[in-house]
Amino acid sequence: MPVAMNDLDDVVLRLAATRVESSGVSFQGKGLKLDSEDDAKEVLEAMSKCSDLTFLNLEGNTLGVEASKAIAKGLETHPELKRALWKDMFTGRMKTEIPKALQALGTGLMTAQARLIELDLSDNAFGPIGVEGLATLLRSPPCYSLQELRLNNNGLGISGGKMLAKALLDCHKNAQAAGEKGLGLRVFIAGRNRLENEGATALAEVFKAVGTLEEVAMPQNGIYHVGITALSEGLRQNPNLRILNLNDNTLTARGAAAISKALLFLPGLRHLNFGDCLLKTKGAQFIAEALTEKHTQLEEVYLSCNEIGLSGGLAVVNALANKKNLKKVDLDGNQFGDEGCEQICEVLQGSGHQEDILSLEDDEGVDEDEVSGDENENEEEEDEEEEEDEDDKDEDNADGHGEVQAPPPIPVQQCTVRQFLETPTGERLLAVTSEKLLQEAKYLSDDCYLEKMLPMLMKVSSLSTHSNANVQQVALKTSEALSRHLYGWASQGDSFRSALTNNALLVHLGLIKSEDKALKVTWNLDGCLIALEHSIKQNVFPESTQHLLRFFLERPNSLAILPVTKQRILSILPKSIA
């Protein structure tokens, strides 16, 4: 079939704009929709021009099965490929397409007998079924040499985490059987994957086996002390670890006690991130004790938003006194009070560090329990409650499946609205009930309505991705009711009130930046977007708000929104007004 001149010109221009280097080819961010073999010709031609294809970057395009097969065929002649940079390349694809596409690409690499150093499949929301398509490649010789594996924001879930761990362990054993040292993984990135305790425990076995890790980042995975304890056992077998990021998991003091023991075996740490991990004072003290003598190469320490009291903060900065390479100490959003912040600053400066390396913004004021001497006792009681909740959850998953199909209901205990908002877990959502939350919304005064209502809505909505089906259902139902109340309140005022409401919603969904620097998005945005999708289907939002949502969802933004969720929402929103 002849190609029209306009189409040919377009292909020529795109090829000219494509970066072809002696070391590889990049189509990053071009937004190409590659469905067929013919669609993939641009990529194939660029690959054939590159005599030393050590990397192939397809980030920000979308590949169908036939296009993937064509690219895989092209890969067969490039055994020199080292880096497969394949982030965000399945937007809008059917769930059943992605495993086939991954299998095809893997087959191409295996046929070529390539030896990968880096595999980056982040921001592809392929879930457990995607791991099935990837597993054969991970077990094969091209991955025996793998040093960097990046799977951030893939929606793996518990079962996907377990399958990934099994494939990596098989890779390690297969490499050893082939006469090699085994899998020498240095970088492992798997944030925002809802791995929870079981997924983390499975991956801990991989860490224990390889012993070569230098960077581990697993933020926002819903991991509690059980999973943290398992990870600690695995991490301690990796003495060259330099970067550890467990941000936004629920360590509590019990998890901090476990991870602090592992820190003793990791003297080369340079970057440590336990921000938003509910450490509290006792947990901070455990971490501080572990860091006191060694870890002289530490450069960055993040312990923000952990409800740490002054004694915990002082323990931390005293432990960091001998770390001469420090560049950043983030203690934002804790409970030191103004005088406590001054004390912490003085201690750090007294040890020879510059004041500008310390961040103490958004302090929540002195913890009254610490002043009265009751803090540790109260923390122990709260930790016991949280651990009991988590133990119940672990028992629910004890059959080894860890999926959301018909799990036993979570035991419900009494919970106030305030307790839920402080620690919004699935157990507490069931305990507080939708009725109490809606009643709380009805009693909010106009002058603080948006300030109180939006965080409550987000904290409820974020639980839409909870592993327990009962929690998911209650979260969606309650989010819908709160959203109706929100826009009912907005409709009772003038257009300015409606505009303020829309603006607040966009800010709390992370779609626009807030002018209030104290506001931080600490909730699970994937869950919020799923709840948003549900409420849109229930006709909760006025048409003007729906158009606004479309506009901001279509814009490129800095947040790693799951592409599949984003596309589903866009598909049910009205088309943009011309």
Side-chain angles (χ1 to χ4, degrees):
M1 180 177 177
V3 180
M5 285 303 297
N6 287 344
D7 293 338
L8 185 60
D9 290 343
D10 183 59
V11 169
V12 171
L13 287 172
R14 286 189 178 184
L15 284 172
T18 301
R19 188 169 83 252
V20 180
E21 302 174 1
S22 59
S23 58
V25 168
S26 175
F27 278 78
Q28 181 179 1
K30 293 194 175 294
L32 302 178
K33 189 172 188 292
L34 309 179
D35 295 321
S36 65
E37 180 179 348
D38 192 58
D39 293 334
K41 283 182 178 178
E42 292 180 61
V43 178
L44 292 170
E45 186 169 342
M47 289 168 61
S48 67
K49 284 184 178 181
C50 186
S51 59
D52 185 24
L53 188 73
T54 58
F55 73 83
L56 177 61
N57 191 337
L58 298 176
E59 177 184 352
N61 302 285
T62 176
L63 277 64
V65 176
E66 295 307 314
S68 298
K69 288 179 178 178
I71 293 171
K73 193 70 177 174
L75 286 173
E76 291 180 4
T77 60
H78 289 285
E80 74 276 14
L81 188 75
K82 302 295 182 188
R83 300 185 184 276
L85 308 177
W86 297 341
K87 291 175 63 176
D88 186 19
M89 74 178 190
F90 296 119
T91 299
R93 296 296 169 182
M94 298 292 290
K95 190 176 181 180
T96 52
E97 288 183 272
I98 299 174
K100 295 176 183 177
L102 289 171
Q103 286 170 354
L105 293 168
T107 299
L109 292 171
M110 288 185 281
T111 302
Q113 297 183 1
R115 301 287 284 185
L116 290 180
I117 291 175
E118 180 180 3
L119 177 60
D120 188 350
L121 285 163
S122 298
D123 301 327
N124 290 302
F126 48 57
I129 194 172
V131 183
E132 293 176 9
L134 186 62
T136 302
L137 172 63
L138 289 176
R139 292 186 173 98
S140 69
C143 287
Y144 292 175
S145 54
L146 194 63
Q147 296 179 19
E148 302 179 26
L149 180 59
R150 303 175 190 275
L151 295 170
N152 197 61
N153 193 25
N154 292 118
L156 300 180
I158 293 171
S159 60
K162 286 181 173 181
M163 283 190 281
L164 173 63
K166 178 67 165 58
L168 291 175
L169 283 172
D170 288 345
C171 178
H172 182 64
K173 294 173 184 176
N174 293 344
Q176 289 178 326
E180 302 186 23
K181 290 183 179 179
L183 179 61
L185 202 60
R186 294 190 299 106
V187 176
F188 180 80
I189 311 293
R192 302 189 71 186
N193 272 302
R194 304 193 300 276
L195 296 170
E196 302 187 23
N197 287 339
E198 289 187 73
T201 299
L203 287 166
E205 294 301 313
V206 178
F207 300 168
K208 192 182 297 185
V210 298
T212 54
L213 289 165
E214 296 178 17
E215 177 178 356
V216 172
M218 298 174 67
Q220 296 185 338
N221 269 300
I223 307 170
Y224 283 71
H225 73 87
V226 174
I228 296 297
T229 300
L231 285 175
S232 300
E233 292 298 317
L235 291 171
R236 67 190 294 174
Q237 303 300 324
N238 293 265
N240 294 324
L241 195 70
R242 297 181 297 107
I243 300 172
L244 178 58
N245 180 358
L246 294 176
N247 184 282
D248 200 7
N249 290 290
T250 308
L251 272 70
T252 68
R254 192 166 172 182
I259 201 74
S260 65
K261 294 176 182 177
L263 293 179
L264 298 174
F265 295 85
L266 309 173
L269 276 175
R270 295 183 182 180
H271 177 112
L272 187 64
N273 190 337
F274 292 156
D276 200 13
C277 285
L278 204 63
L279 295 176
K280 300 197 174 181
T281 301
K282 188 176 178 182
Q285 289 168 339
F286 280 128
I287 302 300
E289 184 178 356
L291 296 177
T292 299
E293 294 184 9
K294 301 179 181 179
H295 309 94
T296 55
Q297 299 179 56
L298 264 178
E299 296 177 4
E300 297 181 339
V301 177
Y302 295 85
L303 296 174
S304 59
C305 304
N306 270 303
E307 299 183 19
I308 302 171
L310 178 56
S311 60
L314 288 172
V316 169
V317 291
N318 275 304
L320 299 177
N322 61 342
K323 321 304 181 198
K324 301 306 179 185
N325 295 328
L326 272 183
K327 298 175 182 177
K328 179 71 175 178
V329 179
D330 187 346
L331 294 173
D332 290 347
N334 285 297
Q335 299 175 348
F336 308 135
D338 292 341
E339 292 184 5
C341 288
E342 290 180 10
Q343 289 183 52
I344 287 171
C345 187
E346 288 173 3
V347 169
L348 201 61
Q349 284 183 283
S351 59
H353 295 291
Q354 297 296 316
E355 181 180 0
D356 60 3
I357 72 168
L358 177 64
S359 182
L360 290 166
E361 295 181 4
D362 308 320
D363 188 78
E364 297 183 351
V366 177
D367 184 349
E368 293 180 3
D369 289 332
E370 179 165 11
V371 174
S372 65
D374 295 332
E375 183 187 36
N376 284 338
E377 181 180 343
N378 289 343
E379 283 187 12
E380 287 172 4
E381 290 175 359
E382 291 175 11
D383 284 347
E384 285 173 6
E385 288 177 10
E386 286 156 6
E387 287 157 9
E388 285 171 6
D389 289 341
E390 203 48 33
D391 288 340
D392 287 333
K393 182 177 174 181
D394 292 334
E395 287 174 12
D396 290 341
N397 288 330
D399 60 0
H401 299 295
E403 296 301 315
V404 297
Q405 292 99 340
I410 296 177
V412 177
Q413 302 172 1
Q414 287 190 347
C415 177
T416 66
V417 172
R418 178 177 171 274
Q419 288 171 330
F420 168 74
L421 294 176
E422 286 177 349
T423 309
T425 64
E427 295 80 4
R428 291 189 175 190
L429 177 62
L430 296 184
V432 74
T433 73
S434 302
E435 290 74 18
K436 284 184 183 178
L437 290 166
L438 192 56
Q439 187 177 34
E440 179 78 7
K442 291 177 180 178
Y443 285 130
L444 292 174
S445 60
D446 287 349
D447 59 345
C448 69
Y449 183 86
L450 291 175
E451 180 185 350
K452 302 289 186 183
M453 181 62 165
L454 266 298
M456 178 162 63
L457 173 60
M458 295 300 119
K459 289 175 181 180
V460 170
S461 300
S462 68
L463 294 169
S464 301
T465 56
H466 196 278
S467 60
N468 185 281
N470 299 326
V471 174
Q472 288 181 18
Q473 185 177 8
V474 172
L476 290 173
K477 177 184 175 183
T478 308
S479 176
E480 178 190 343
L482 291 174
S483 296
R484 287 190 188 280
H485 193 276
L486 172 65
Y487 277 88
W489 176 84
S491 67
Q492 294 171 11
D494 55 17
S495 58
F496 183 65
R497 178 186 279 192
S498 295
L500 284 177
T501 302
N502 286 333
N503 184 76
L505 180 65
L506 294 171
V507 165
H508 285 76
L509 285 172
L511 295 175
I512 61 175
K513 291 183 178 179
S514 172
E515 294 179 2
D516 180 6
K517 293 184 179 180
L519 178 64
K520 293 186 178 180
V521 176
T522 59
W523 35 84
N524 172 17
L525 286 174
D526 296 335
C528 294
L529 288 169
I530 288 172
L532 178 72
E533 177 189 6
H534 171 81
S535 292
I536 291 170
K537 289 179 179 178
Q538 304 306 314
N539 296 315
V540 169
F541 302 106
E543 189 173 357
S544 59
T545 300
Q546 294 187 49
H547 282 297
L548 201 61
L549 286 167
R550 170 173 282 279
F551 176 79
F552 283 99
L553 282 168
E554 286 179 335
R555 286 197 325 171
N557 57 71
S558 61
L559 293 171
I561 296 172
L562 287 175
V564 173
T565 306
K566 182 176 177 178
Q567 289 303 315
R568 285 205 313 265
I569 295 174
L570 288 173
S571 71
I572 60 176
L573 286 169
K575 299 296 182 183
S576 300
I577 302 173

